[in-house]
Amino acid sequence: MNRNSGNAILAFLVGAAAGSIAGILFAPDKGSNTRDKLSYRLHKYRQSLEDLLDDLVSERNGAFSEAKSHGEKVVNDAREKAEKLLEDVDELLSHINKKTDN
């Protein structure tokens, strides 16, 4: 889920919560019933937001983990190539030293 869709979902949830609250507050019902309904709906919206945050955090951690493993692979490849180059340089130097000794 990209950042825009996360913002869209959050905006939708906030709008839905505001609409529900306004509808409940203007409904002709007893105050205790209205408060119970409001409390129930707010609890549902809170749970939805917590689920959304959990999804976003797990997605971020997954992306971070993927980037980290890709970075480690690049570093390992570079290390192997550098070690190979050092071996080649050592071989060339020893070859040059043998020729100068003769």
Side-chain angles (χ1 to χ4, degrees):
M1 180 182 322
N2 65 25
R3 186 178 184 129
N4 290 336
S5 60
N7 288 339
I9 292 171
L10 181 61
F12 173 76
L13 289 174
V14 170
S20 295
I21 291 170
I24 290 172
L25 291 176
F26 290 108
D29 202 357
K30 284 177 54 180
S32 61
N33 288 342
T34 301
R35 285 189 296 276
D36 289 343
K37 288 178 188 178
L38 182 60
S39 175
Y40 173 75
R41 288 193 178 169
L42 287 175
H43 178 72
K44 270 183 30 179
Y45 290 126
R46 181 176 186 227
Q47 186 63 42
S48 296
L49 285 173
E50 287 175 352
D51 292 344
L52 175 65
L53 285 173
D54 289 342
D55 289 345
L56 291 173
V57 168
S58 67
E59 182 179 301
R60 181 181 151 254
N61 287 340
F64 178 74
S65 175
E66 183 180 332
K68 183 178 177 182
S69 67
H70 182 68
E72 287 174 351
K73 181 179 181 284
V74 169
V75 168
N76 287 337
D77 288 346
R79 180 180 296 128
E80 289 174 7
K81 289 179 182 178
E83 288 173 355
K84 176 67 173 137
L85 285 172
L86 287 173
E87 289 172 6
D88 290 346
V89 166
D90 286 341
E91 185 179 321
L92 285 172
L93 285 173
S94 70
H95 185 64
I96 290 170
N97 285 336
K98 284 182 186 177
K99 288 205 177 206
T100 57
D101 287 342
N102 289 337

